[in-house]
Amino acid sequence: MAYQIVWELGFSHCAAVGAALLILIENALITQSRLMLLESALIFFNLLAVLSYLKFSNSQKHGPFSPSWWFWLVLTGVACACAVGIKYVGVFTYLLVLGVAAVHAWHLIGDQTLSNVRVLCHLLARAVALLVIPVLVYLLFFYVHLLLLCRSGPHDQIMSSAFQASLEGGLARITQGQPLEVAYGSQVTLKNAFGQPVPCWLHSHQSTYPVIYENGRGSSHQQQVTCYPFKDVNNWWIVKDPGRHQLVVNNPPRPVRHGDIVQLVHGMTTRLLNTHDVAAPLSPHSQEVSCYIDYNVSMPAQNLWRLDIVNRESDTDVWKTILSEVRFVHVNTSAILKLSGAPLPDWGFRQLEVVGEQLSRGYHGSTVWSVEEHRYGRSQEQKERELELHSPTQTDVSRNLSFMARFSELQWRLLTVRSDDSEHKYSSTPLDWVMLDTSIAYWLHPRTSAQIHLLGNIVIWASASLATLVYALLFIWYLFRRRRRVCDLPEDCWLRWALAGALCAGGWAVNYVPFFMMEKTLFLYHYLPALTFQILLLPVVLEHISDHLCRYGALAATPPWGYGSRGVLNGDSSVMQMGLGSQARLCRGSEDEANEGCRERKVADVHGRWGRPFGPGERQEQREGEGNMGRDPEQPVVRGRTAWCMAEINQEAL
C-alpha cells in the first residue's frame, strides 16, 4: 500500500519502491506486527483509507460513477470505519480523509462544466459513502460484539448496574426478580454513576472521623461515610419515611416518588445519613457527610434528604431499581450528596471520600446514584434485619437494555475510564518519540534474559523528520512566491506536491499533535501511525529535490549548449538564478501565461558573463532569436543559435 499510495500521488516508480522498502525494513513496525498488537491493524486501515481515496480521486477524472469509482469510494468509508473501530485514534486519519474530500468537493461545486444535478449527485455519493456507511459499519461492529459477548466478565464493575444486569450471570443473577419500585422500608445499595476513579457504593462502618485531622482541623467525630469499591454488607441502606419509625415495607408498598423527603438509615448500625456545616476531611470547601451519633452536644441531627430523579419523564415518577438516576439534596443546607473521589488516609481505610456539595446546575455523574441491589425489608428487629441483609436476594427474571443504550454507555466508558494514572516505567512524552529517545521492553526470557524491545531505526526516523521539515519550508517558500505571482512549478506539479503534503505531512501531524493534549499514559507505539505517514513523505521530498532543485541548479551553473559566452535569464527571478520551475513555460512569455500569473521572460544579452565575448556574427543570431520571443507558437520561427538554445532548455524542462 505504501508503494501504491506514492504511485497514485503521481511520483515515480523509484520513489514508490523506496517508500515500500522503508516501511518493510523499519524495526518498530516489524516488532509491532510480529507481536500482533493493534497498531499494525490500525496502520493497515489508515493506509487503505488513503489509498482508496486516491484511487477514487484519480478515477474521477475519466470514469465518474463507474463500478470502480463506486468501489473505491465505498471502500474508503469502510476502511475509515475499521480504523476507528480498532482504536479511537483512527478517527484522526478519518478526519484527514474527510478534509481532503471536502476540499475536492468544494472545487467540484465550482466546476462550470457540470450541471447542478450532476454536482448534487456527486455530493450525495460522497456523503453516503464517507459519512453514512462508516457510521453503519461501526454500529455493526458493536452489534455483533454485544450479541456474542452477552455474559458477565471480570471487568463488569466499570459499567452501570443496568448494563451489568443485561448480561448473563454476574449481577444479573443477583438483580433478577428484584422489586422494580423503591418503597419506604426498602433495603438498597446505592452505586455512584460516575465510576471515577473506580466504581463504588455508598458505605458506612462503625469507625468515626478523627477528632483532629493531620492538618490541625477539627471534625464532628461522627460515624464515617465513604464510597467503597467492593460489595459489602455495610453497603446496605434502608429508605425510611421521616414520619414513621418502622423500617419495614407496608402492605401494599408505598413507592417513593420524585421530590419526596426521605431518610437513609445504615442497615448494620441503624444510624441516619447526615451532613452539616463542618468541613469535609479532604475537601474543606465541601461539607462533611456522616452517620449521626448523638453526643449530647450542640450539634443537632440534619438527616432529611429530598429525592431528585434526574432522568424522570414527569414530576410524579417513581424511584425505580437500576433504571432511575437520582440525586439526594440535603433539606437544611441544599447540599448534594457527592463522590469527591479522593482516597482517605489510613484512618479511613483508603476508601473514597463522600461530601456534601452546594447545589450546582448541570449533570455530573459524581452527584448521581442508582439502586443496584434492592429488596423489601421484612424484619423490624435489629438482629433479624442483619441476618436478612446477609442473605441473598431472590431471583426470577431479568431486565435488558436496548442495543443503543448499551452501545452509548460502552462508547462513553471507552472514552472516559482510565485503568491507572500512575507513571509507567516505559511511558514517554510525544517529544521523546521524534528522535527515538525512548523504547519499550516487550518481552524478557525468564532464563536466558533474551529480550524484545520496541526500538526504531534511527536513520529512518531522523531522515523522515528532516524530510517533514524540508517539505514545510519548501511549501511555505512556494506559497510566498506564488503570492508574488511567480510560478516556480507548473500547475499540475504544484497540485501533486500539495496533495502529497496534505496526505503524508498532514497524516503525520493529525496522528501526532493530538497526543500533546491527551492526559493519559503514553508510549512509543502511539507514534507508529504518524511515523508511517512520515516515511511516505521521505521519497516524495527526495524526488522533488532531485527533479526540481538539483537538476535546475546544475542547469543554472552551466549552460546546457556548451558555450560559456551567453545564458538565458528571466526578467526578475530567472530559472538560471533560482533553479526552480519550468523553463518551457517561463521562457516563452505568451499572453496565456501572463494571465496565469507568470511574468514574461526574455532572453538577455549578457556579453562576456561566462568568460568569452560573442564571436563574429553571433550577436546577429542572438537578435534573431530575441525576435522570436512573443511570437505566436504556430508561426514560423527564425532559426538561430539562441532559439536553438531555448529549445534545448524546453526539452530539458520536459
Side-chain angles (χ1 to χ4, degrees), residues 117-320:
V117 175
R118 193 75 169 177
V119 170
L120 181 60
C121 292
H122 276 286
L123 296 180
L124 287 177
R126 286 161 171 78
V128 170
L130 300 181
L131 295 177
V132 177
I133 289 180
V135 172
L136 294 179
V137 172
Y138 189 76
L139 287 172
L140 178 63
F141 293 159
F142 282 91
Y143 181 80
V144 175
H145 170 79
L146 294 174
L147 186 66
L148 296 178
L149 302 182
C150 57
R151 298 186 179 183
S152 62
H155 300 290
D156 288 353
Q157 67 274 11
I158 69 173
M159 308 303 294
S160 68
S161 301
F163 192 100
Q164 294 181 57
S166 68
L167 302 175
E168 298 176 9
L171 182 63
R173 292 181 298 135
I174 301 174
T175 59
Q176 286 176 351
Q178 292 185 158
L180 178 61
E181 297 181 348
V182 178
Y184 290 106
S186 290
Q187 300 168 352
V188 299
T189 62
L190 296 168
K191 184 179 181 182
N192 189 265
F194 189 43
Q196 296 289 347
V198 291
C200 62
W201 292 263
L202 189 66
H203 178 93
S204 186
H205 39 246
Q206 292 283 357
S207 302
T208 59
Y209 291 110
V211 178
I212 302 295
Y213 296 124
E214 292 83 350
N215 57 10
R217 290 191 298 109
S219 76
S220 65
H221 199 46
Q222 300 282 322
Q223 181 174 305
Q224 297 176 16
V225 173
T226 63
C227 205
Y228 191 51
F230 302 98
K231 293 184 180 296
D232 188 85
V233 70
N234 282 315
N235 297 344
W236 284 95
W237 298 81
I238 303 172
V239 181
K240 179 180 177 297
D241 183 354
R244 298 175 64 244
H245 293 289
Q246 288 84 359
L247 297 178
V248 295
V249 177
N250 290 341
N251 191 14
R254 186 159 63 95
V256 182
R257 300 181 182 275
H258 170 75
D260 286 354
I261 305 299
V262 300
Q263 292 174 315
L264 295 178
V265 182
H266 187 240
M268 299 301 292
T269 62
T270 65
R271 294 195 172 111
L272 279 73
L273 187 70
N274 184 87
T275 187
H276 39 222
D277 192 15
V278 175
L282 303 179
S283 306
H285 59 282
S286 302
Q287 295 178 188
E288 175 192 86
V289 175
S290 63
C291 281
Y292 183 76
I293 302 175
D294 188 3
Y295 287 122
N296 293 320
V297 295
S298 57
M299 185 175 288
Q302 299 181 22
N303 48 39
L304 298 178
W305 301 85
R306 186 180 75 252
L307 184 73
D308 182 10
I309 302 179
V310 177
N311 60 341
R312 68 185 183 278
E313 296 180 357
S314 68
D315 288 340
T316 59
D317 274 7
V318 175
W319 185 8
K320 296 183 178 64

Side-chain angles (χ1 to χ4, degrees), residues 24-32 454-458 460-461:
L24 287 174
I25 65 175
E26 170 49 44
N27 306 348
L29 297 179
I30 294 173
T31 304
Q32 201 74 2
L454 180 68
L455 187 65
N457 188 322
I458 186 62
I460 295 179
W461 288 53

Side-chain angles (χ1 to χ4, degrees), residues 49 52-53 56 67-81 125-126 128-130 133-134 137:
S52 300
Y53 183 79
F56 155 75
S68 63
W69 185 91
W70 278 108
F71 173 79
W72 292 116
L73 180 59
V74 172
L75 184 59
T76 302
V78 173
C80 290
R126 286 161 171 78
V128 170
L130 300 181
I133 289 180
V137 172

